Amino acid sequence: MTSIRSRLMFGLTALLAALLLGQWLWLTYTVKELVEKQVIIQLQEETESLLANLNITNSGELQLNEDSLSSNYQRAFSGLYFTIESQQQKLYSRSLWDFSLATAPVETGMRDILYLDGPAKQPLLAVVAGYYKQGHQFTITVAENIDWMLSEKQRLVRNFSLVSAIGVLILLLFQVGMIRQVLRPLNHARRQLAQLAKGEINEVDEQAPDEIRPLLSELNRLTNSMIVKTRRSRQSLGNLAHRLKTQLTLLNQLADKESMKNAPETQQLIYQQTESIRQIIERELKRARLSGFTLPGKGVDLPDMLNQLTDTLKLIHQGKSLRITTDIDDDVRFNGDREDILELLGNLLDNACKWCQHDVHILLTMQDGLKIVIEDDGPGCEVEDLSNLTRRGFRADESIAGSGLGLAIVFDIVESYGGNLLFDQADKGGLQVTVQLQSFPSD
């Protein structure tokens, strides 16, 4: 979906352009009509003046008293012209010199407005009117050079266009600033949501416009509600686990009584069942803790965590000359639970150190989440056993001490984060474990 800023910019710019274009067209048309109307009124007055100074003899001869007319009719190519035309005769103003206006007679009482070419191709606006006087019909044409009007109109349009362009630029700059100012609370809320997702803050700032304040308030309410529910859930599960473990301890004590020694099969069955129940409790508690983690977690400092883990593992496996190397991208981050990633890396690295000859390599990159690759130079694992590594209690080599639960726990953690866990043969000959994690546990 297009951003709100883009929509506002496009919509307001289009509206502004439409308004200015409409204003430009309206001004151009209005100025033209206004000036032409004034010229036509003047030409009509000139026509009436010519009619008043025109006399027609009994023989139909047209006689014009030019003394009462404007001097512009006497000056050649002055820009003001007239013709009077009857069936027998045609009179011209001296301003026309030898030029003839291309007009046609009109009926009495009729009037035409024409655009003509005058001397030297001057643009003329002409009024042609038909009259009946002293028993004779004739046509009077008065024309005026409107080159000045067109020039003034062009200058006005040019100046208006320049002023409009400057105005549009100023309005666009103002519009950009206004939109940024209006959307600043949204940008602030977006940054805070990103910080909330990374676990840098616990709630977002509710000081926002009325339109988004209810959304932010509801988000904070839900966040706080989930924090409280998660805390209560973990406390309840911890209490339940303690009580169940106490009961399991009592069952084991009953199985240790002298009376149960006479039934070793039953005693062994009790031990097996209580151990199975204990493992189920541990597993379900871990699943509940992971699935209950629905809030953004604090960012985990993976390089520092790996340094502490490698130091600890070197102490644990002092019998080997361990060389643990790390390759960590600068942008590596994990926003989930610290205990989860610590247990995952601890189990994988402990397993690699246990089986390696000397070398263990760790690679951390960001590829669709957090990608972890751990390799060792140990004996590796048979191909047919790779699919069984995450099975609870499975041990590829019974001669090596361990419970067989480490990789199963790793699998539970990876599964809770909607990730993938892959095993393969490493280039160094040992086992390669690849873990792909999302940022937060999946539901």
Side-chain angles (χ1 to χ4, degrees):
M1 180 181 292
T2 308
S3 66
I4 296 178
R5 175 178 297 177
S6 299
R7 288 187 175 186
L8 287 175
M9 285 293 296
F10 177 79
L12 293 177
T13 302
L15 178 61
L16 180 62
L19 289 175
L20 288 175
L21 178 60
Q23 185 179 3
W24 184 85
L25 293 174
W26 173 82
L27 179 65
T28 302
Y29 175 79
T30 301
V31 170
K32 179 176 178 293
E33 289 293 315
L34 182 61
V35 175
E36 285 185 356
K37 185 176 180 181
Q38 294 298 322
V39 174
I40 290 173
I41 291 175
Q42 293 177 7
L43 293 178
Q44 288 177 339
E45 292 176 352
E46 291 293 333
T47 301
E48 298 293 335
S49 177
L50 288 171
L51 179 63
N53 287 279
L54 179 65
N55 186 41
I56 305 175
T57 64
N58 294 331
S59 60
E61 181 182 358
L62 300 176
Q63 296 179 348
L64 184 64
N65 183 13
E66 297 184 359
D67 295 336
S68 301
L69 300 179
S70 172
S71 60
N72 289 327
Y73 292 122
Q74 307 297 327
R75 189 172 65 254
F77 307 128
S78 64
L80 186 61
Y81 315 102
F82 76 81
T83 61
I84 302 175
E85 183 179 1
S86 64
Q87 292 182 352
Q88 297 87 9
Q89 188 181 0
K90 190 171 185 180
L91 299 179
Y92 299 90
S93 64
R94 292 182 182 180
S95 56
L96 281 172
W97 205 248
D98 292 331
F99 187 81
S100 177
L101 297 176
T103 59
V106 297
E107 298 293 331
T108 301
M110 302 299 293
R111 187 187 70 178
D112 287 339
I113 307 297
L114 303 177
Y115 291 91
L116 306 173
D117 288 332
K121 299 298 181 180
Q122 297 170 335
L124 302 179
L125 179 60
V127 174
V128 183
Y131 295 98
Y132 186 83
K133 184 177 182 181
Q134 297 175 343
H136 294 83
Q137 183 177 350
F138 52 91
T139 300
I140 299 178
T141 301
V142 181
E144 182 178 352
N145 181 9
I146 59 172
D147 185 54
W148 64 272
M149 181 187 75
L150 298 178
S151 298
E152 287 295 320
K153 173 190 171 185
Q154 185 177 6
R155 184 178 65 84
L156 178 63
V157 171
R158 182 176 63 250
N159 292 340
F160 177 76
S161 300
L162 178 61
V163 172
S164 297
I166 296 174
V168 167
L169 180 60
I170 295 175
L171 287 175
L172 287 177
L173 293 176
F174 176 76
Q175 174 180 297
V176 171
M178 181 183 65
I179 290 176
R180 286 183 177 178
Q181 184 68 24
V182 170
L183 296 182
R184 182 173 297 175
L186 292 179
N187 293 330
H188 177 66
R190 182 181 62 182
R191 289 191 296 269
Q192 287 213 316
L193 288 175
Q195 292 176 327
L196 182 65
K198 294 179 181 179
E200 297 176 359
I201 58 177
N202 295 324
E203 62 180 19
V204 296
D205 185 8
E206 297 182 13
Q207 297 299 320
D210 295 340
E211 290 77 8
I212 64 172
R213 187 183 300 118
L215 176 63
L216 299 179
S217 300
E218 184 65 16
L219 178 62
N220 284 335
R221 189 190 68 80
L222 291 175
T223 302
N224 294 329
S225 175
M226 285 189 288
I227 290 174
V228 173
K229 289 181 179 179
T230 300
R231 185 182 299 114
R232 289 178 179 175
S233 175
R234 290 182 178 179
Q235 290 176 351
S236 299
L237 288 172
N239 295 335
L240 177 61
H242 178 72
R243 295 181 63 182
L244 288 175
K245 287 180 180 179
T246 301
Q247 300 302 319
L248 290 176
T249 301
L250 292 176
L251 287 176
N252 286 330
Q253 291 176 354
L254 291 175
D256 291 337
K257 288 186 176 182
E258 292 294 331
S259 60
M260 295 299 298
K261 292 182 179 180
N262 298 327
E265 293 181 356
T266 302
Q267 187 183 44
Q268 185 64 28
L269 182 60
I270 292 175
Y271 288 152
Q272 291 176 354
Q273 293 301 318
T274 54
E275 178 62 21
S276 177
I277 294 173
R278 187 188 67 79
Q279 291 182 4
I280 291 174
I281 292 173
E282 294 291 341
R283 181 175 181 178
E284 294 306 318
L285 281 174
K286 181 176 292 295
R287 283 182 177 275
R289 178 171 60 85
L290 293 173
S291 62
F293 183 178
T294 56
L295 301 177
K298 297 292 184 183
V300 179
D301 188 352
L302 291 178
D304 182 66
M305 176 182 288
L306 280 177
N307 288 334
Q308 295 179 15
L309 277 176
T310 53
D311 292 341
T312 302
L313 289 170
K314 287 179 181 179
L315 291 175
I316 294 175
H317 301 278
Q318 295 184 28
K320 295 183 178 181
S321 298
L322 284 177
R323 291 188 294 269
I324 302 177
T325 58
T326 60
D327 188 0
I328 306 176
D329 288 352
D330 294 335
D331 61 341
V332 163
R333 65 185 184 277
F334 180 73
N335 297 325
D337 188 84
R338 177 182 175 84
E339 297 302 321
D340 294 337
I341 193 67
L342 179 62
E343 187 169 9
L344 184 146
L345 289 173
N347 277 298
L348 291 178
L349 289 174
D350 181 61
N351 188 71
C353 292
K354 185 184 300 180
W355 289 93
C356 75
Q357 297 294 328
H358 300 287
D359 295 328
V360 175
H361 181 69
I362 310 163
L363 172 65
L364 298 181
T365 60
M366 295 303 295
Q367 296 181 12
D368 298 327
L370 176 63
K371 183 177 181 180
I372 305 171
V373 180
I374 298 178
E375 298 177 326
D376 64 73
D377 62 347
C381 184
E382 297 295 334
V383 176
E384 57 270 17
D385 290 336
L386 290 177
S387 59
N388 294 322
L389 288 178
T390 58
R391 183 162 54 84
R392 190 168 298 275
F394 176 79
R395 296 167 62 193
D397 189 345
E398 297 291 341
S399 65
I400 303 295
S403 64
L405 296 177
L407 292 180
I409 293 173
V410 168
F411 178 78
D412 287 341
I413 296 175
V414 172
E415 184 182 34
S416 68
Y417 279 81
N420 295 314
L421 178 63
L422 301 176
F423 298 96
D424 201 353
Q425 296 294 334
D427 295 337
K428 298 180 179 181
L431 183 66
Q432 175 181 294
V433 183
T434 302
V435 178
Q436 184 75 49
L437 293 178
Q438 302 300 321
S439 294
F440 304 105
S442 59
D443 293 335

